[in-house]
Amino acid sequence: MTVMAKPEQTNARTLVSAPALSPAAIAKPDLISVEQAKAMDVAGMTDLFKAHLNPGQLHFMKLLGFHKIKIERAEGMFYIDQNGRKILDFFGGFGSLAFGHNHPRILDARKKFQEEKRQEIAIAFMSQYAAALAHNLAKCSPGDLDMVFLGSSGSEAMEAAVKLAERAAGPKRPKVVYAENSFHGKTKGVLGITDGQLYRADFKVADNTVRIPFGDIEAVERLFRSDPEVGVIVLETIQGGGGIIQAPGEYWQKLRALCDQYGVLWVADEVQCGYGRSGRFYAFEHYGVVPDVTALAKSLGGGKAAVGAMIARREIYMKAYGTPKTAMIHAMATFGGMGEACVTSIEALNVLYDEGLIDNAAVTGDYLLQRLRALKEKYPKIIKDVRGKGLMVGLEFHDFSQTLPMVLRPIVSVLDDKLKGSLSGFVGALLLRDYDVLVAFTEYNRNVIRLEPPLICQREHVDRFVDAFDSLLSRGIVSIVKDFVKSQVR
C-alpha cells in the first residue's frame, strides 16, 4: 500500500491509493518490539507519551515529579523503579490492587491457563470459567443478588447496571436519581449520572436524570413522594472521587425502606469501595441492607486483568431480560468473560478469603485511621479531617490560607479557591521524592489525599507511611512550599 505525502492544509485528509489487485508483500511498519519497549528510557517514554497518548496529562505528571520515574517491576506493596528504588504503594490504582503487585497464586493460575492453551474467547459456546466466576460472585453476594453480567471495566459494569434497572423499572418510570459529587464512570451513558463538569465537559448527556444531595434521606423521600416517574436511584456506598464521603448507617436502612415503599430500584455502585476494601465484601453490608443491583470492578481482576461485573437480584434481571426475545438486549460483549480474565478473578476471590484480606482491611484500616487521627491532633492547622472505612481513607487538608502563619492568611485567603489541591499536590510530590511513598488524589475535593493501599497492607507499611507523612508535615507549610518549588527548578 502506497501512502501519499500529507498535504500542508491541516483540514485535508491523508490520501491512500487503492491496493493492488495482485498479491504483494506488505512492508512491516517501524514497530517497537516488546524488548525495545522494556528497555526504553524515561526520555523515550516521555516523547511517545506526548506524541501519542495525552500531552496535557504529562503537564500534571511533571508538576508532581512523576514523569521522572520508570517502573521496571512491581511486587507486593512496592513499585521498583529504574534505579532499584522501592516505592511504597498507598495509591493502589484507585483500589485496583487488593492483592498488591503480582501475587504469586494469581500469577500461577494465569501461567497454567496459558501453558495448557485453554480457550480465551468462547462466545459461540458456554464458558466454564465465566460460569464459575458468576457462581462465585453470587456466593459472595448477600440476599438474592445472584445474576451476573461480566464486562471489562467499572464503567461497563455500571452501564449494565443502570440499563438493567431502567428497563426493569419500565417506560412509565424513566427517571434516574444520582447524588452530588458522584462518580460512576466516563462512558457516555453513566456520564449523565457522574456529577463532574470536568468529565461532562460539553457532551450531551442523558436528560432523564435527577440530582440530589448525598446522604440526605429527606431529599430522597421528598423526591420519591413528589415524582412518580422516578424508577431508579444510583449511589456509591462510599463516594471515592467526592473525597471518601460516607452517609450515616441509618441513611441506607431508610433508603432501602423508601425504595420498597415507592417501588424504586436501588443500584449500589461498589466499583471502588467493594471487594473487601471497607472491611466487608460490599460496603453496604455494614448497614444490614441489600440493593437491587450492584457493580464491582477494580480488584475483581486480581490486579492482572480488566474485569467488571454487575450483580442483580434474579427477579429484577428476569424482568428486564428474562425471555428469549429480550435475552440478547444486553448479552456479554466480546471481551466479557474471557477465559484467562475469569480464571484470574476466580483465583483472586479464593485468595481474598484464604488469606483473610477482608478482615485485614478492617483491622489494618482501623490502625491507619487511628494513627492518622493522632497526626490530625498534632497538626490541627494543616489537617482538617481524617475519614474512611477499612483501607479506603481520605485525608483532607485545610484551605491553603488556613495552614499559613496568621500574618499571611488575609492576603492568601482570596486565592483559596484557585489554590485548592496545591497542598495535596505538594505533599504528594514530596512524599514520592523524599520518602518513596505514592499516594492518590480525588476528583472533586482537591484538598483530599486518597489512600487505597492493597489489602495485603500490614502495620509496618502503615507505620512507614505515617512516619514519612509526619516527618514531611514537621517541616512546616512554608518549608514544604519552598521544597516543592525547588523541585520544579532542578
Side-chain angles (χ1 to χ4, degrees):
M1 183 180 289
T2 303
V3 181
M4 299 176 64
K6 187 173 182 179
E8 291 298 322
Q9 296 91 331
T10 56
N11 62 345
R13 296 182 180 179
T14 300
L15 302 177
V16 182
S17 64
L21 294 178
S22 58
I26 298 175
K28 182 180 179 180
D30 184 16
L31 303 179
I32 296 171
S33 70
V34 172
E35 286 305 312
Q36 287 172 326
K38 181 176 182 293
M40 191 179 299
D41 61 16
V42 171
M45 292 163 57
T46 302
D47 288 343
L48 294 184
F49 193 96
K50 187 174 182 179
H52 303 298
L53 286 172
N54 194 326
Q57 185 178 352
L58 185 61
H59 164 77
F60 295 104
M61 296 176 77
K62 287 181 176 180
L63 280 177
L64 295 167
F66 291 5
H67 71 298
K68 300 176 182 177
I69 294 171
K70 176 190 175 186
I71 299 301
E72 293 287 1
R73 60 190 184 90
E75 185 175 354
M77 287 290 298
F78 296 92
Y79 288 102
I80 297 93
D81 76 359
Q82 70 270 35
N83 301 311
R85 179 171 64 140
K86 294 180 71 174
I87 299 169
L88 180 64
D89 185 6
F90 260 61
F91 168 29
F94 292 124
S96 298
L97 292 162
F99 308 94
H101 299 273
N102 291 306
H103 190 287
R105 273 184 57 178
I106 294 172
L107 291 183
D108 285 346
R110 290 170 66 85
K111 183 179 180 182
K112 189 173 183 180
F113 183 94
Q114 295 163 10
E115 290 174 343
E116 296 179 359
K117 298 180 180 179
R118 299 184 222 164
Q119 82 277 15
E120 189 64 88
I121 297 177
I123 300 171
F125 310 103
M126 289 185 290
S127 165
Q128 61 269 52
Y129 307 113
L133 176 56
H135 167 272
N136 287 357
L137 287 171
K139 287 294 184 181
C140 292
S141 302
D144 53 354
L145 289 168
D146 58 6
M147 296 299 289
V148 178
F149 169 89
L150 296 174
S152 305
S153 69
S155 290
E156 189 180 359
M158 283 304 299
E159 293 275 3
V162 175
K163 283 180 69 177
L164 174 80
E166 186 175 334
R167 182 168 170 79
K172 292 183 179 180
R173 307 191 69 173
K175 292 186 179 179
V176 179
V177 181
Y178 70 99
E180 292 176 357
N181 293 324
S182 61
F183 181 86
H184 299 291
K186 299 176 187 176
T187 49
K188 196 65 159 53
V190 290
L191 198 58
I193 52 172
T194 289
D195 185 35
Q197 192 52 46
L198 171 67
Y199 302 120
R200 287 189 170 207
D202 54 359
F203 295 110
K204 173 66 176 174
V205 298
D207 58 5
N208 63 325
T209 60
V210 183
R211 186 178 72 162
I212 58 169
F214 181 71
D216 185 342
I217 198 63
E218 292 180 357
V220 174
E221 184 168 15
R222 285 194 301 269
L223 179 60
F224 285 8
R225 187 171 58 243
S226 64
D227 193 343
E229 290 192 342
V230 169
V232 180
I233 184 166
V234 184
L235 299 167
E236 297 161 271
T237 315
I238 302 174
Q239 288 191 326
I244 317 301
I245 304 298
Q246 300 177 73
E250 58 269 21
Y251 172 86
W252 300 107
Q253 293 156 8
K254 291 178 181 177
L255 175 71
R256 179 69 274 176
L258 286 172
C259 286
D260 291 339
Q261 179 182 348
Y262 289 95
V264 175
L265 298 178
W266 167 26
V267 177
D269 183 344
E270 294 260 340
V271 167
Q272 191 170 153
C273 61
Y275 204 82
R277 181 150 295 278
S278 73
R280 300 294 295 269
F281 188 79
Y282 294 104
F284 59 70
E285 291 183 88
H286 288 283
Y287 312 113
V289 290
V290 180
D292 299 294
V293 188
T294 189
L296 293 170
K298 302 293 187 187
S299 288
L300 182 57
K304 299 301 291 185
V307 184
M310 174 206 75
I311 307 96
R313 292 172 52 215
R314 185 176 187 85
E315 177 188 356
I316 305 301
Y317 184 91
M318 296 303 286
K319 190 174 181 181
Y321 307 131
T323 68
K325 191 174 181 179
T326 60
M328 301 305 291
I329 290 175
H330 199 91
M332 274 196 297
T334 307
F335 298 116
M338 287 182 70
E340 189 173 334
C342 287
V343 165
T344 305
S345 293
I346 291 167
E347 185 67 4
L349 278 169
N350 279 278
V351 171
L352 186 71
Y353 287 95
D354 291 346
E355 297 191 357
L357 297 185
I358 300 176
D359 292 332
N360 185 64
V363 173
T364 307
D366 283 347
Y367 180 62
L368 174 61
L369 286 166
Q370 173 190 329
R371 288 222 54 196
L372 288 175
R373 283 168 180 153
L375 284 193
K376 179 179 179 292
E377 295 299 316
K378 186 175 181 180
Y379 302 103
K381 295 180 180 178
I382 300 176
I383 301 175
K384 180 179 180 180
D385 193 22
V386 171
R387 54 182 178 263
K389 192 175 287 291
L391 288 172
M392 186 173 183
V393 173
L395 198 157
E396 184 174 3
F397 295 112
H398 286 287
D399 282 339
F400 196 75
S401 66
Q402 301 305 303
T403 67
L404 297 173
M406 190 66 71
V407 67
L408 295 175
R409 290 183 188 180
I411 303 169
V412 179
S413 63
V414 296
L415 298 173
D416 272 338
D417 190 55
K418 291 184 178 180
L419 290 172
K420 274 191 184 297
S422 55
L423 184 54
S424 298
F426 299 161
V427 168
L430 294 175
L431 279 173
L432 180 61
R433 190 194 73 178
D434 297 343
Y435 300 94
D436 303 336
V437 173
L438 180 66
V439 296
F441 310 98
T442 58
E443 287 90 343
Y444 302 137
N445 187 343
R446 291 169 292 162
N447 282 346
V448 176
I449 281 181
R450 184 175 358 185
L451 306 173
E452 296 185 46
L455 305 191
I456 62 170
C457 182
Q458 301 296 313
R459 288 171 70 103
E460 65 193 77
H461 303 121
V462 171
D463 288 339
R464 175 174 164 179
F465 162 70
V466 176
D467 290 347
F469 187 51
D470 185 9
S471 175
L472 178 57
L473 294 187
S474 70
R475 300 181 191 180
I477 294 301
V478 174
S479 291
I480 288 173
V481 174
K482 286 180 179 178
D483 290 343
F484 176 79
V485 172
K486 287 178 184 177
S487 74
Q488 296 300 299
V489 297
R490 286 178 181 171

